[in-house]
Amino acid sequence: MNDAEGLEGLTRVSAYRALMTACSDTGLRADQAELLRLGENAIYKLPSEGVVVRVARADTEDVEVKVIKELAVARWLLSKGFPAVEPRDDLPQPLRAEGRFVTFWEYIPPSRTEPDLVDLANLLRELHSLPAPDFALPALDPFSAMWRRLERAHGIKKRDVEFLSEACARSEAEFRELAEKYPTGLVHGDAHRGNLLARDSRVLLIDYEAVAVGPQAWDLLPTAIAVDRFALDRRDYHAFCRDYGQDVTASRGYPQLRMARELGMTTWLMQNAQSGAAAEEFAIRMESLRKEDRERRWHAL
């Protein structure tokens, strides 16, 4: 199986190879590139060029659609005055490099301001109040990515893949039923504090890969789950709920929505859980899911 065919193909080595090719094709210097994140994408910063580079896992048709949508969403948000990060449209994009799609974004230098959950609540409230864009958005479907990950899992115990597959099948059926009962609208899809950046005195909401139309309660789940899983102070969570105007844990179907989100978080980690800290954390998450232990501490990686 080659890189473009399997999720395991996106490694530090293969991602860097795609980065170097893309930078060569666009005239960017990549000698001081720094890997920020390796997950669904490999994300690099090129501070000297003022650019962040996102390397997708493959250049398949579905990835192309997602990448084009992500760029369109960013441009649309900026046109509405929403605090979003800018695509670097002075560069050709999306670009194919080494069997992957590559996009280029504005680099936001480190700031003394640390975005908090109140910032996230306010940005989500503003995002959720925006009108529908003038282009089609997909329906929220967190499971399609989970199934792709499970189908292409490598270096993971068979019994873990089987457990997750069965859990995803049950959860997907519950999610579909619940989604029909919730009010729908614009959804970020991956709304957590890690997707906030501060530029001067303004906080930006970044990463538009999962933007869709669906139950807006989905965007509140990461913060709610963080209380039990990542030891978030309940006072901080209450401040988040106050500023957004809703506590999703009090809504109908919260346990089912939470399960869907946690399965997504676990299958995301599974992609790089062959060794080291990721493997240890994956084992912790699997044990807690098997035992239905909702208070077992997880660790962000």
Side-chain angles (χ1 to χ4, degrees):
M1 181 178 291
N2 63 36
D3 285 358
E5 291 174 338
L7 291 178
E8 71 273 21
L10 191 67
T11 64
R12 286 176 177 264
V13 173
S14 62
Y16 186 72
R17 187 167 62 243
L19 169 75
M20 295 300 291
T21 297
C23 288
S24 175
D25 289 348
T26 53
L28 293 172
R29 291 184 57 189
D31 53 310
Q32 295 182 347
E34 179 180 340
L35 180 64
L36 298 176
R37 188 185 306 172
L38 180 63
E40 289 300 315
N41 305 275
I43 304 176
Y44 294 88
K45 68 176 182 179
L46 310 178
S48 63
E49 299 283 7
V51 175
V52 165
V53 183
R54 291 171 65 93
V55 179
R57 284 191 166 262
D59 67 352
T60 56
E61 183 177 348
D62 61 323
V63 173
E64 181 180 19
V65 170
K66 185 181 294 186
V67 167
I68 291 173
K69 178 207 71 176
E70 185 175 10
L71 291 166
V73 167
R75 294 164 186 144
W76 177 75
L77 288 173
L78 290 164
S79 76
K80 296 298 180 183
F82 186 85
V85 66
E86 295 186 26
R88 283 292 301 268
D89 286 335
D90 56 318
L91 298 168
Q93 63 175 334
L95 188 70
R96 282 185 171 91
E98 303 291 331
R100 309 183 189 284
F101 279 107
V102 178
T103 55
F104 305 95
W105 301 81
E106 171 192 17
Y107 169 65
I108 309 297
S111 170
R112 294 181 180 178
T113 302
E114 184 71 24
D116 59 26
L117 290 175
V118 169
D119 294 314
L120 179 60
N122 290 329
L123 285 169
L124 287 177
R125 191 179 68 247
E126 183 179 351
L127 180 76
H128 291 170
S129 68
L130 289 174
D134 56 359
F135 54 89
L137 286 173
L140 179 67
D141 179 15
F143 289 92
S144 60
M146 298 185 212
W147 289 120
R148 285 196 302 272
R149 296 164 189 162
L150 288 165
E151 288 168 3
R152 301 171 181 178
H154 72 289
I156 302 298
K157 294 177 182 177
K158 181 179 178 181
R159 66 185 186 92
D160 287 342
V161 175
E162 290 175 346
F163 173 86
L164 288 171
S165 297
E166 292 170 2
C168 282
R170 290 192 302 270
S171 182
E172 184 173 19
E174 294 172 344
F175 177 83
R176 302 293 182 209
E177 182 178 350
L178 280 169
E180 295 178 357
K181 300 177 181 178
Y182 273 86
T184 61
L186 187 65
V187 176
H188 179 272
D190 194 23
H192 55 83
R193 190 160 43 185
N195 277 331
L196 300 180
L197 288 177
R199 181 172 58 197
D200 300 324
S201 60
R202 200 178 196 200
V203 178
L204 312 180
L205 180 62
I206 67 170
D207 193 354
Y208 317 115
E209 184 176 31
V211 169
V213 174
Q216 292 181 323
W218 184 260
D219 280 345
L220 309 180
L221 292 173
T223 307
I225 292 170
V227 175
D228 291 332
R229 292 304 195 195
F230 301 106
L232 174 66
D233 192 306
R234 289 190 179 274
R235 291 171 296 183
D236 292 336
Y237 179 64
H238 292 154
F240 172 85
C241 295
R242 178 199 65 219
D243 279 51
Y244 179 81
Q246 179 184 343
D247 179 358
V248 71
T249 66
S251 65
R252 62 186 180 186
Y254 170 69
Q256 291 79 19
L257 291 176
R258 172 177 170 169
M259 175 57 71
R261 176 70 187 180
E262 290 190 347
L263 287 170
M265 296 163 67
T266 302
T267 57
W268 177 87
L269 180 65
M270 179 187 69
Q271 297 173 109
N272 298 310
Q274 290 72 40
S275 63
E280 294 174 6
E281 177 61 18
F282 179 69
I284 289 172
R285 296 187 186 188
M286 288 301 302
E287 182 181 25
S288 67
L289 290 173
R290 280 194 169 91
K291 294 182 177 180
E292 299 184 2
D293 183 350
R294 304 292 179 240
E295 297 182 359
R296 177 71 181 271
R297 288 285 183 263
W298 290 4
H299 309 88
L301 294 178

